[in-house]
Amino acid sequence: MLWADVSYRSMHKFMTQLRALFQDGYFTELNLWFALFIADFCPQQDKDVALAAALVSRSADNGDICLDLNLTAGREISENNITLKCPALSFWRERLCKCKAVGTPGDYNPLILDDQNRLYLYRYWEYENNLLELIQQKISIIKPQPQADLVLKSLNRFFPQEDEKGTTNWQKEAALIALKKYFCVISGGPGTGKTTTITRILAFLLELSSDQKLRIQLAAPTGKAAARLAETIRSIKDKLDCNEKIKQSIPVQTSTIHRLLKPVKGTPYFHFNALNPLPVDLLVVDEASMVDLALMTKLFQALPKKGSLVLLGDKDQLASVEAGAVFGDICENRPNKIISDIEPAKDQEFNGHEADQKKIQRLKEHIIILQKSYRFKTNSGIALLSQAVRQGDFCTSLALLKNQEYDDIRLSTLPLPAFQLPELAKIIIEKYKPFLTAAKPQKALDNFNNFRILGAVKSGPFGVNALNLLVENILSGQGMIAHSQKDISPWYRGRPILITENDYNLGLFNGDIGITFPDETGSEQSFVVYFNTDSNQPRKISTHRLPAHQTVYAMTVHKSQGSEFDNLLLVLPEKDYSVLTRELIYTGITRAKKRVIIWADEKILSRAISRKIIRNSGLGDGLWG
């Protein structure tokens, strides 16, 4: 392609700067190729359009749904000795609008620019727009109701008043939403009884259904989260105040969302979709904060028009690894709405623009935030610390960590690498001895959950990879494991592993944890890994059959989502990273049931608590107006 000399020189200099930023890790190679691809659609290759393309591609890599030009225009991108300044907003928008690759909402172009100066990759705009319409459709449909006297009778039995008079029982309010609406969102921190609430809700809805045969499906984004949901419901349902038929009708079989929708091999599509909806009356999705925009959209599309959906999660936890923070956008820090009017409703739908306004205004009637913790006392250190971190209050957080009154939380100065070994060795030997000395696999699995090391990053001296090697060296030096870094095979008795990809044939899922034991039926050098099952009888799988996995004395906070440990050590890196946010610290702290120790430099911890994840999208604005 021939360009004018000025344009060529300008573009050449710009691409040199982009490549330098690529070398520094700011852009990926894909970001650069996409920038060139979009620039080719302009009358002359336009560096300002190319920059926008590179940035929107990078934004998607970082979990954003769109690039907000309002926040980016005029800003300088500076890495090492490279500085690149973004154009002014009006000029930038003008350049984008002249490019054939850029369209407006409703167009079919590689990039979409809306009236709020949000720039999208087309597929993310489409996902967001579809999800917005699907949520609005769900909340617009009025659900037929049983007789009020029957509702009250069941409601008061399953949700007796446990709090002081004059306070609201939000679990009961959640049950009413699930009864009255086709869409229900229940958010709450650890220990607020989300799973207990949904188990009671299932019994409540089954009892009020005409034939007590609701088609109910339970799902979660990961195999680990799905297994925990099943385990908890199984332990709760037999204690419910209802007849045996209702108890037996409450499902305990769970599935990952992918397995529920059934992927079409070799494609991004699913067997269940808008044209072939799921055969369900009610779908419950746990750990919904981990579900990204694309998957949540496909889940909504696969729901029958009058199929109910209940989302469970914690709006303050880390968002999905992939693009989007859908659960957070839906909750949007809205206050609880009391749904106390119990009356039959006609089966009708809203229509027209006025109805759209009603739908948006009424979204708050579909959301409940559980506030009472049944795991922690209100004055426990973990409860108070997690609240302070959630609010971004570092001063209060630091005061709590240094207050000797709270023995369940502690802050220790991050040890220098030279002094790291003795400090860590003391903790490791004490905490990991019970599972390593357990004679039976089930006992080892149970004891392993008593303690875990959580890291914020994978690499670096305080990253998860280095911590796992360090723990192995400590245990090997103490003779607690028969393994050293010189061994060719990674396998030894007691090696804990984390499954990192789903294997539906073996029934192993991303997040599953197993403990290694010698294979009594095999050769002297053969090993098997034992995993928990629903029956509390662990099953063994040969190491040769395992899907992708890694050693897991230490794991990232992201990987720990959906898990609980009695005690944990949270290790932050020695320098600041953008991934260090209050959501990460909050998620890490709240994995502990009894005690948490934080290894961190105070300045790094302060920056992390002060930094809130803001994922750019238009979903929140679209839902709330």
Side-chain angles (χ1 to χ4, degrees):
M1 179 181 289
L2 297 176
W3 309 311
D5 288 344
V6 174
S7 175
Y8 175 81
R9 287 196 298 270
S10 176
M11 190 67 180
H12 179 73
K13 179 182 178 182
F14 168 74
M15 288 308 301
T16 301
Q17 291 175 308
L18 279 193
R19 289 190 185 96
L21 289 172
F22 161 70
Q23 295 294 334
D24 289 336
Y26 189 84
F27 287 118
T28 66
E29 190 170 1
L30 179 61
N31 300 155
L32 301 192
W33 280 110
F34 186 70
L36 284 172
F37 169 72
I38 294 298
D40 277 341
F41 283 87
C42 301
Q44 292 182 335
Q45 284 201 332
D46 191 318
K47 65 182 182 64
D48 296 315
V49 172
L51 176 59
L55 288 172
V56 76
S57 177
R58 180 179 183 271
S59 295
D61 293 341
N62 293 336
D64 290 321
I65 301 305
C66 59
L67 175 70
D68 191 338
L69 298 181
N70 298 298
L71 303 176
T72 312
R75 184 171 66 87
E76 286 189 347
I77 300 170
S78 184
E79 291 285 320
N80 294 333
N81 296 322
I82 304 298
T83 299
L84 198 59
K85 187 169 183 179
C86 299
L89 179 60
S90 58
F91 177 80
W92 208 359
R93 184 179 176 91
E94 179 185 345
R95 303 301 297 174
L96 286 164
C97 289
K98 289 182 178 179
C99 179
K100 293 180 180 179
V102 182
T104 57
D107 292 338
Y108 187 62
N109 295 61
L111 295 176
I112 299 296
L113 179 62
D114 72 8
D115 292 340
Q116 302 302 312
N117 300 314
R118 289 185 287 246
L119 185 66
Y120 293 83
L121 298 173
Y122 175 82
R123 68 188 180 103
Y124 284 123
W125 174 83
E126 185 180 38
Y127 282 138
E128 183 179 279
N129 185 66
N130 287 346
L131 182 57
L132 178 61
E133 291 181 355
L134 289 164
I135 291 175
Q136 290 176 339
Q137 288 171 14
K138 273 291 176 202
I139 68 177
S140 73
I141 305 173
I142 298 178
K143 196 175 180 181
Q145 300 294 300
Q147 294 180 8
D149 56 341
L150 295 177
V151 173
L152 283 171
K153 185 179 178 180
S154 291
L155 188 67
N156 292 328
R157 179 159 36 83
F158 286 116
F159 298 91
Q161 185 68 33
E162 298 175 351
D163 301 324
E164 299 177 4
K165 288 186 177 181
T167 61
T168 301
N169 184 333
W170 293 113
Q171 293 187 351
K172 180 183 285 189
E173 293 295 325
L176 278 173
I177 290 177
L179 173 70
K180 294 173 70 67
K181 313 291 184 182
Y182 283 109
F183 181 48
C184 174
V185 179
I186 303 173
S187 176
T192 52
K194 295 187 293 293
T195 313
T196 299
T197 301
I198 195 58
T199 307
R200 292 179 180 178
I201 287 174
L202 294 178
F204 172 61
L205 297 178
L206 281 164
E207 192 168 273
L208 291 173
S209 63
S210 57
D211 56 4
Q212 298 183 351
K213 287 186 178 180
L214 286 175
R215 296 174 299 170
I216 301 171
Q217 287 275 6
L218 307 175
T222 67
K224 177 68 175 177
R228 282 199 62 231
L229 176 62
E231 178 185 350
T232 308
I233 290 179
R234 186 179 291 105
S235 67
I236 295 171
K237 72 171 190 171
D238 290 336
K239 303 172 186 176
L240 295 175
D241 183 10
C242 60
N243 65 50
E244 197 62 29
K245 183 180 178 182
I246 296 295
K247 294 178 183 179
Q248 292 300 320
S249 297
I250 298 174
V252 292
Q253 296 300 317
T254 58
S255 169
T256 64
I257 297 173
H258 280 84
R259 191 170 191 177
L260 176 72
L261 297 178
K262 294 185 178 179
V264 177
K265 190 174 182 179
T267 77
Y269 304 111
F270 291 98
H271 176 73
F272 290 109
N273 50 48
L275 299 177
N276 182 37
L278 288 162
V280 299
D281 299 310
L282 170 62
L283 173 62
V284 177
V285 177
D286 196 14
E287 297 292 349
S289 63
M290 298 169 66
V291 184
D292 61 84
L293 174 68
L295 187 57
M296 187 70 83
T297 302
K298 292 175 181 179
L299 184 68
F300 265 86
Q301 288 173 332
L303 283 171
K305 182 178 179 181
K306 294 185 179 178
S308 296
L309 175 64
V310 178
L311 299 180
L312 305 175
D314 184 346
K315 64 182 179 63
D316 298 307
Q317 267 191 199
L318 283 166
S320 58
V321 176
E322 302 297 329
V326 178
F327 193 77
D329 283 339
I330 291 172
C331 292
E332 192 79 358
N333 295 317
R334 300 292 167 164
N336 281 337
K337 171 80 172 179
I338 295 178
I339 310 295
S340 56
D341 53 319
I342 303 171
E343 57 184 39
K346 296 179 181 179
D347 187 12
Q348 59 185 359
E349 297 183 26
F350 294 112
N351 293 293
H353 175 72
E354 183 180 353
D356 288 339
Q357 296 302 315
K358 290 181 180 179
K359 286 187 286 188
I360 293 171
Q361 293 168 7
R362 293 179 63 221
L363 178 58
K364 63 179 177 290
E365 298 177 3
H366 296 250
I367 300 169
I368 284 294
I369 312 296
L370 300 180
Q371 298 167 6
K372 179 180 178 180
S373 176
Y374 296 88
R375 180 190 302 171
F376 307 118
K377 295 179 180 178
T378 54
N379 62 345
S380 78
I382 293 176
L384 294 172
L385 178 61
S386 61
Q387 180 180 358
V389 170
R390 189 175 66 238
Q391 295 171 348
D393 187 345
F394 172 70
C395 292
T396 300
S397 299
L398 186 61
L400 288 167
L401 286 164
K402 290 186 174 182
N403 191 333
Q404 299 299 317
E405 179 183 345
Y406 304 106
D407 59 2
D408 57 340
I409 54 174
R410 194 181 87 201
L411 174 65
S412 292
T413 302
L414 190 70
L416 295 173
F419 303 101
Q420 185 174 336
L421 192 60
E423 179 77 14
L424 185 61
K426 182 179 178 181
I427 298 173
I428 293 306
I429 293 168
E430 175 192 351
K431 298 298 184 182
Y432 280 147
K433 183 177 180 179
F435 99 85
L436 288 169
T437 56
K440 299 292 184 180
Q442 187 59 58
K443 188 66 175 175
L445 286 163
D446 292 340
N447 289 345
F448 188 59
N449 274 336
N450 291 338
F451 174 74
R452 195 62 42 83
I453 302 171
L454 298 185
V457 294
K458 292 182 181 179
S459 305
F462 295 98
V464 165
N465 296 337
L467 290 170
N468 275 312
L469 290 174
L470 198 54
V471 172
E472 283 187 323
N473 284 335
I474 292 170
L475 295 176
S476 177
Q478 293 292 316
M480 297 173 69
I481 61 172
H483 179 72
S484 73
Q485 299 308 316
K486 297 179 181 179
D487 291 340
I488 297 174
S489 171
W491 298 106
Y492 54 87
R493 187 192 188 282
R495 182 193 178 199
I497 67 161
L498 174 77
I499 300 298
T500 56
E501 69 176 28
N502 296 333
D503 188 320
Y504 293 106
N505 293 324
L506 286 177
L508 291 177
F509 303 101
N510 184 10
D512 285 349
I513 287 177
I515 307 293
T516 307
F517 274 77
D519 186 0
E520 297 175 355
T521 63
S523 67
E524 186 178 339
Q525 297 299 319
S526 62
F527 291 93
V528 293
V529 180
Y530 284 87
F531 295 88
N532 272 320
T533 64
D534 294 341
S535 62
N536 275 338
Q537 291 295 323
R539 66 187 184 112
K540 64 179 181 180
I541 295 177
S542 169
T543 56
H544 302 294
R545 300 180 62 202
L546 293 172
H549 56 273
Q550 60 192 43
T551 303
V552 70
Y553 294 105
M555 63 196 304
T556 61
V557 175
H558 276 90
K559 288 288 187 182
S560 75
Q561 285 182 271
S563 299
E564 295 175 350
F565 314 104
D566 288 342
N567 306 278
L568 67 83
L569 169 64
L570 175 61
V571 182
L572 300 191
E574 78 286 3
K575 60 182 181 179
D576 195 19
Y577 291 88
S578 60
V579 297
L580 298 179
T581 63
R582 74 181 63 163
E583 289 85 359
L584 183 136
I585 305 300
Y586 170 83
T587 302
I589 290 169
T590 53
R591 298 311 92 203
K593 294 192 287 185
K594 295 181 180 178
R595 192 163 192 257
V596 57
I597 299 172
I598 302 176
W599 275 7
D601 178 275
E602 284 187 17
K603 291 182 179 179
I604 301 297
L605 182 60
S606 170
R607 291 172 187 167
I609 293 175
S610 302
R611 183 184 291 127
K612 181 173 175 58
I613 293 177
I614 299 176
R615 287 194 167 177
N616 293 322
S617 82
L619 184 62
D621 285 349
L623 289 171
W624 293 101

